[in-house]
C-alpha cells in the first residue's frame, strides 16, 4: 500500500482534558508518524471555512462554535494507507458506536465533542493539509 499523508485535528474537548499525548501515542502505536504539528486557537470563521462541506447540516453552527471554543492541535500523519488507518484508530463518529480501543471509544464525550478529526479521502486530505500547513512545515 502507498505511503499517504492525512490531516488530523485533536479537538477542543481533548485539549481541554490534556489528552494530546495519549492521543498521539495511539497514532504512533498504529504506525502513523506525526510529520507536522501545531497548536492553534481557531476563530469561528476559520472553523466554518474548514468545515464548509457541512454548512447545510443542522449541527454546523454548534460544530463551528465548539471548534473555536479552545485550542486545537492540527497535525499531518504519514504512513502506509494513512487515511484509512487514521479513521480506523479514530473509531466511529459517535463514540457509542466506536470499537473498543479506538480514540473515540476511549476519550470522546459525545457525537459532537468527539476528540479528533481525520480526513476521509485522498482529495480532502490534500485540501485539508494545504489549509493548515505550508510545504516547508511538513518534515517527513
Ligand atoms: P470528522 O470530519 O471531524 O473527522 O468526523 P467524521 O468524519 O467522523 O464525521 P462527519 O460526518 O464528517 O462530521 C463532522 C463532525 O461534526 C460533528 N457532528 N456532530 N451533533 C451531531 O449529530 C453531529 N454529527 C456530526 C462531529 O464533531 C463530527 O466529527
Ligand atoms: Mg468528516
Amino acid at each position: 500500500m502507498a505511503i499517504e499523508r492525512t490531516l488530523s485535528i485533536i479537538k477542543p474537548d481533548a485539549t481541554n482534558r490534556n489528552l494530546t499525548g495519549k492521543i498521539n501515542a495511539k497514532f504512533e502505536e498504529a504506525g502513523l508518524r506525526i510529520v507536522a504539528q501545531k497548536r492553534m486557537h481557531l476563530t469561528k470563521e476559520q472553523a466554518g471555512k474548514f468545515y464548509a462541506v457541512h454548512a447545510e447540516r443542522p449541527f454546523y453552527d454548534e460544530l463551528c462554535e465548539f471548534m473555536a471554543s479552545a485550542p486545537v492541535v492540527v497535525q499531518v500523519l504519514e504512513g502506509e494507507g494513512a487515511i484509512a488507518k487514521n479513521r480506523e484508530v479514530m473509531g466511529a463518529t459517535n463514540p457509542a458506536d466506536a470499537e473498543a480501543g479506538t480514540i473515540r471509544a476511549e476519550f470522546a464525550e459525545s457525537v459532537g465533542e468527539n476528540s479528533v478529526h481525520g480526513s476521509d479521502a485522498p482529495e480532502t486530505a490534500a485540501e485539508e493539509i494545504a489549509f493548515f500547513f505550508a510545504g516547508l512545515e511538513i518534515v517527513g
Side-chain angles (χ1 to χ4, degrees), residues 7-9 11 13 50-51 53-54 57-60 62-64 66-67 86-87 90-94 104 110-120 128:
L7 192 277
S8 165
I9 305 178
K11 294 183 177 181
D13 66 285
F50 179 76
Y51 274 124
V53 62
H54 294 310
R57 309 277 285 274
F59 56 79
Y60 179 65
E62 189 187 347
L63 173 61
C64 297
F66 165 61
M67 291 300 286
N86 181 38
R87 301 281 299 182
M90 288 162 58
T93 309
N94 185 343
R104 284 167 167 166
S110 65
V111 66
E113 305 202 357
N114 60 1
S115 302
V116 279
H117 162 84
S119 307
D120 57 14
E128 291 177 2

Side-chain angles (χ1 to χ4, degrees), residues 10-138:
I10 301 179
K11 294 183 177 181
D13 66 285
T15 62
N16 277 336
R17 287 175 290 146
N18 218 17
L19 292 170
T20 300
K22 283 186 174 152
I23 290 172
N24 280 347
K26 294 268 196 198
F27 294 142
E28 293 184 338
E29 280 159 18
L32 293 165
R33 185 174 296 273
I34 301 162
V35 295
Q37 175 167 262
K38 58 189 170 188
R39 184 173 169 97
M40 306 176 74
H41 195 145
L42 300 176
T43 64
K44 190 176 173 185
E45 289 66 33
Q46 290 168 331
K49 205 169 162 198
F50 179 76
Y51 274 124
V53 62
H54 294 310
E56 303 307 318
R57 309 277 285 274
F59 56 79
Y60 179 65
D61 191 64
E62 189 187 347
L63 173 61
C64 297
E65 285 277 351
F66 165 61
M67 291 300 286
S69 67
V72 295
V73 175
V74 297
Q75 36 191 202
V76 180
L77 307 180
E78 183 181 87
E80 277 198 18
I83 297 165
K85 188 177 280 180
N86 181 38
R87 301 281 299 182
E88 210 176 288
V89 176
M90 288 162 58
T93 309
N94 185 343
D97 302 328
E99 251 181 72
T102 62
I103 291 168
R104 284 167 167 166
E106 281 192 28
F107 303 124
E109 302 199 292
S110 65
V111 66
E113 305 202 357
N114 60 1
S115 302
V116 279
H117 162 84
S119 307
D120 57 14
E123 302 71 35
T124 47
E127 282 172 24
E128 291 177 2
I129 289 169
F131 183 88
F132 284 113
F133 291 98
L136 285 173
E137 294 180 297
I138 305 169

